């Protein structure tokens, strides 16, 4: 995700490349990213954080608080910095407490289509977030897709829906394509038809603002093939399977930051 965000910032020309920096864990990866992105990627978190005013934390959830603590101990954190964390399950209160010094914290939940500028990103402000901080967060993410603001209490649900959702969508595309292949279509054609069909349906929902059920009714001719297909999907419990998938992912998101907190 960190790489996707940096790529988005570079392609949207949000900042000159000389003002963008990154840090990863392994030297080999730092060298590879420095070469591929054309900006300085280091393995020294403190050295990077000391010189910037906005820090995007894209670590695995269980590593976030330890890494913030290490930054504070290294004297790399200063009071007027903004920290934006994309980690699932790590609360703003925990990060504000760990950072101290009055640093502003914003949580963001992007998804992987950010890598091609088609992401969906939700932002939640912290207790010390000022409008100028949110404006910076919008500058970071707006080039990567659609950016919305919500209260932090919804973040686990957002994680289970739009954070995990691309994976659910890939399974739907693959399964629809399997049906086409079963009936004789070449795999590549079937995948293109499935992906573009879901893309078009999604764009119909967004462009018309109509309820998906009403759009579905438009496609179902009485005694036709579409209603027959829908009944087969309903037999398989497609609605509750998808809804329960989001519910399960959201409940698991709540525990993601836990292991290193005690
Ligand atoms: N993947 C998603 O779809 C998605 C969506 C929304 C939010 N998120 C959130 O994004 C965060 C990152 O997920 P990811 O899938 O991008 O993980 P990832 O691919 O494992 O990337 C984690 C990165 O952190 C680096 N890293 C690990 N320990 C470090 C340390 N101590 N100091 C500096 N860098 C360190 C790793 O460097 P090396 O490469 O050198 O090991 C790697 O570049 C998670 O908190 C997740 O909740 C993910």
């Amino acid at each position: 995700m960190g790489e996707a965000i940096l790529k988005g910032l570079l392609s949207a020309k949000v900042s000159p490349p000389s003002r963008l920096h990154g840090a990863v864990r392994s030297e080999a990866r730092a060298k590879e990213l420095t070469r591929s992105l054309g900006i300085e990627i280091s393995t020294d978190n403190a050295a990077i954080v000391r010189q910037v005013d906005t820090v995007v934390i894209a670590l695995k959830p269980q590593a976030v608080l330890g890494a913030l603590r290490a930054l504070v101990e290294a004297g790399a954190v200063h009071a007027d910095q903004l920290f934006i964390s994309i980690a699932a399950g790590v609360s703003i209160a925990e990060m504000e407490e760990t950072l101290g010094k009055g640093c502003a914290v914003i949580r963001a939940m992007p998804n992987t289509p950010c890598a091609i500028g088609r992401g969906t990103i939700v932002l939640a402000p912290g207790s010390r977030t000022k409008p100028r901080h949110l404006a910076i967060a919008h500058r970071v993410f707006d080039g990567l897709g659609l950016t919305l603001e919500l209260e932090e209490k919804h973040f686990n649900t957002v994680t289970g829906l739009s954070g995990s959702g691309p994976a659910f969508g890939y399974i739907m595309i693959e399964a629809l394509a399997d049906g086409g292949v079963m009936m004789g279509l070449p795999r590549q054609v079937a995948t293109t038809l499935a992906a573009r069909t879901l893309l078009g349906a999604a764009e119909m929902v967004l462009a018309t603002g109509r309820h998906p059920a009403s759009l579905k009714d438009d496609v179902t001719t009485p005694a036709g093939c579409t209603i027959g297909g829908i009944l087969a999907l309903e037999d398989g419990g497609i609605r509750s399977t998808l809804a329960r998938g989001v519910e399960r992912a959201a409940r698991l998101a709540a525990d993601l930051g836990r292991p290193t907190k005690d």
Side-chain angles (χ1 to χ4, degrees), residues 1-2 23-26 29 45 58-61 86-88 109-112 163:
M1 281 305 304
V24 291
R25 182 175 35 192
S26 72
R29 186 82 177 117
N45 293 343
L59 296 165
K60 289 290 188 199
I86 67 164
M109 182 47 59
N111 59 13
T112 48

Side-chain angles (χ1 to χ4, degrees), residues 1-3 23-27 29-30 33 42-43 45 57-64 67 85-90 108-112 159 162-164 166 256:
M1 281 305 304
E3 183 182 1
V24 291
R25 182 175 35 192
S26 72
E27 288 287 352
R29 186 82 177 117
L33 287 169
S42 139
T43 52
N45 293 343
I57 305 285
L59 296 165
K60 289 290 188 199
Q62 59 275 21
V64 170
S85 166
I86 67 164
V90 185
M109 182 47 59
N111 59 13
T112 48
T159 305
S162 57
S164 304
L256 281 181

Side-chain angles (χ1 to χ4, degrees), residues 88-131:
V90 185
S91 73
I92 290 172
E94 290 169 308
M95 289 185 278
E96 285 180 345
E97 190 191 330
T98 305
L99 286 165
K101 289 198 173 185
C103 293
V105 175
I106 290 177
R107 266 180 89 178
M109 182 47 59
N111 59 13
T112 48
C114 284
I116 57 162
R118 302 299 298 268
T120 307
I121 305 104
V122 178
L123 302 175
S127 69
R128 306 166 190 150
T129 305
K130 306 267 187 309

Side-chain angles (χ1 to χ4, degrees), residues 15-260:
S15 260
S18 61
R19 298 194 59 199
L20 292 172
H21 310 273
V24 291
R25 182 175 35 192
S26 72
E27 288 287 352
R29 186 82 177 117
K31 281 199 184 113
E32 185 189 320
L33 287 169
T34 299
R35 212 173 24 248
S36 66
L37 297 173
I39 61 173
E40 183 202 358
I41 305 291
S42 139
T43 52
D44 188 342
N45 293 343
I48 295 293
V49 169
R50 204 170 277 125
Q51 59 180 312
V52 300
D53 46 26
T54 302
V55 183
V56 177
I57 305 285
L59 296 165
K60 289 290 188 199
Q62 59 275 21
V64 170
L65 294 179
L68 294 184
R69 239 174 258 125
L71 289 173
V72 171
E73 281 161 16
V77 174
H78 37 101
D80 49 356
Q81 279 172 322
L82 167 63
F83 284 77
I84 302 172
S85 166
I86 67 164
V90 185
S91 73
I92 290 172
E94 290 169 308
M95 289 185 278
E96 285 180 345
E97 190 191 330
T98 305
L99 286 165
K101 289 198 173 185
C103 293
V105 175
I106 290 177
R107 266 180 89 178
M109 182 47 59
N111 59 13
T112 48
C114 284
I116 57 162
R118 302 299 298 268
T120 307
I121 305 104
V122 178
L123 302 175
S127 69
R128 306 166 190 150
T129 305
K130 306 267 187 309
R132 69 187 163 87
H133 296 128
L134 274 170
I136 292 170
H138 276 287
R139 280 187 65 207
V140 170
F141 290 108
D142 281 354
L144 307 182
L146 178 75
T147 308
L148 311 170
E149 289 175 30
L150 274 180
E151 286 178 59
E152 191 191 20
K153 67 180 182 187
H154 296 300
F155 251 57
N156 293 329
T157 309
V158 167
T159 305
L161 180 49
S162 57
S164 304
F168 305 157
Y170 302 139
I171 287 175
M172 286 187 261
I173 291 167
E174 188 192 10
L176 291 172
D178 279 349
V181 171
M182 178 66 202
M183 296 309 291
L185 287 179
R187 168 66 61 184
Q188 205 177 344
V189 174
T191 302
T192 302
L193 291 180
R196 283 205 59 87
T197 301
L198 287 192
L199 180 65
E203 288 186 343
M204 282 288 280
V205 171
L206 294 174
T208 64
R210 287 173 57 195
H211 193 292
S214 152
L215 289 165
K216 181 244 337 166
D217 285 353
D218 288 351
V219 198
T220 48
T221 308
C225 57
T226 306
I227 190 67
I230 287 171
L231 292 189
L233 295 176
E234 300 287 11
D235 286 346
I238 186 165
R239 282 168 200 268
S240 62
T241 302
L242 290 171
R244 293 275 182 224
V246 172
E247 182 194 13
R248 175 79 61 86
R251 290 193 193 286
L252 290 169
D255 288 331
L256 281 181
R258 296 303 114 191
T260 57

